[in-house]
Each structure stands twice: as structure tokens, then as C-alpha cells.
Amino acid sequence: MFPNNGSSLNRSSNLAAPGGEARRFAAVHCFSVVAAAEPGAMPRILEFFAKRGVVPSRWVSHLSGGSLESELSIDIQVEGLDVPTARLIACSIGQLQDVRLVLTSEKVAA
């Protein structure tokens, strides 16, 4: 497990520019989750962010499918997570019983 040393709350990353100077970039980690349409799925997923003191900057959920095969699709964006913490959260979400799929990506905007 990764220790919570406060780095998960940083809002940007330093990357070296070709000229050797550091530039600031805002990193956004994106999580796409497909889960069974169960009432407790969303709060259980949100808990992994909340216990680290992180509030997602964007959360969009959509219910699809028929009554017997309903799925919940959730797209989450979080600013300022470090890569190890984002991976740990994704793995933890994937271990939930109702979760069928977790995809992650990172986008960096100048």
C-alpha cells in the first residue's frame, strides 16, 4: 500500500522542458467504471476518493440496459493525484463485487 504523504493533493506536476526549464502542468486522472446497477455502488466507489481527502472534479453516471441487465456507467475525473495513488484507487475499485470494469487514463494540459 502507498502511504498518504499529502502528495495526492498536489494540483500540478513539474516536467522539464526541452530548454531545461521546468514547466507546470495540471494532471487529471480519469476513471471509467462499469458496475451493476446497485444502490450502493456509487457511494462505495466514492469512498476510495473520500478517505484520501480527494473530491472528484467531475462525476457523470448513466444507467443503461433493461431491468434484468442494468449497468451503471460512471466517468470520474480527479485533479492532482499522483500516479501510484491513482493506480491504487483503480485497483481498489476493481475489487468491489458489483464492479465489472475499470479503465484509467491520465491527461495533461499545458
Side-chain angles (χ1 to χ4, degrees):
M1 187 185 305
F2 300 103
N4 186 358
N5 59 8
S7 63
S8 64
L9 300 178
N10 292 337
R11 293 288 180 202
S12 61
S13 302
N14 280 330
L15 297 177
E21 64 187 58
R23 290 195 282 176
R24 307 283 288 175
F25 292 91
V28 177
H29 286 272
C30 305
F31 301 81
S32 184
V33 181
V34 176
E38 296 295 327
M42 288 193 294
R44 283 193 296 272
I45 292 167
L46 184 58
E47 180 182 3
F48 291 110
F49 299 99
K51 72 181 186 179
R52 289 170 177 81
V54 176
V55 176
S57 54
R58 182 172 171 89
W59 179 293
V60 177
S61 58
H62 176 75
L63 186 62
S64 63
S67 60
L68 295 177
E69 297 180 20
S70 294
E71 283 188 335
L72 185 60
S73 299
I74 306 169
D75 292 314
I76 307 162
Q77 293 183 6
V78 181
E79 296 178 9
L81 284 180
D82 57 34
V83 174
T85 302
R87 288 181 183 163
L88 178 63
I89 291 172
C91 288
S92 298
I93 292 170
Q95 292 177 358
L96 292 173
Q97 180 178 353
D98 294 330
V99 172
R100 298 175 182 159
L101 176 69
V102 177
L103 301 174
T104 61
S105 64
E106 179 183 11
K107 61 182 179 179
V108 179

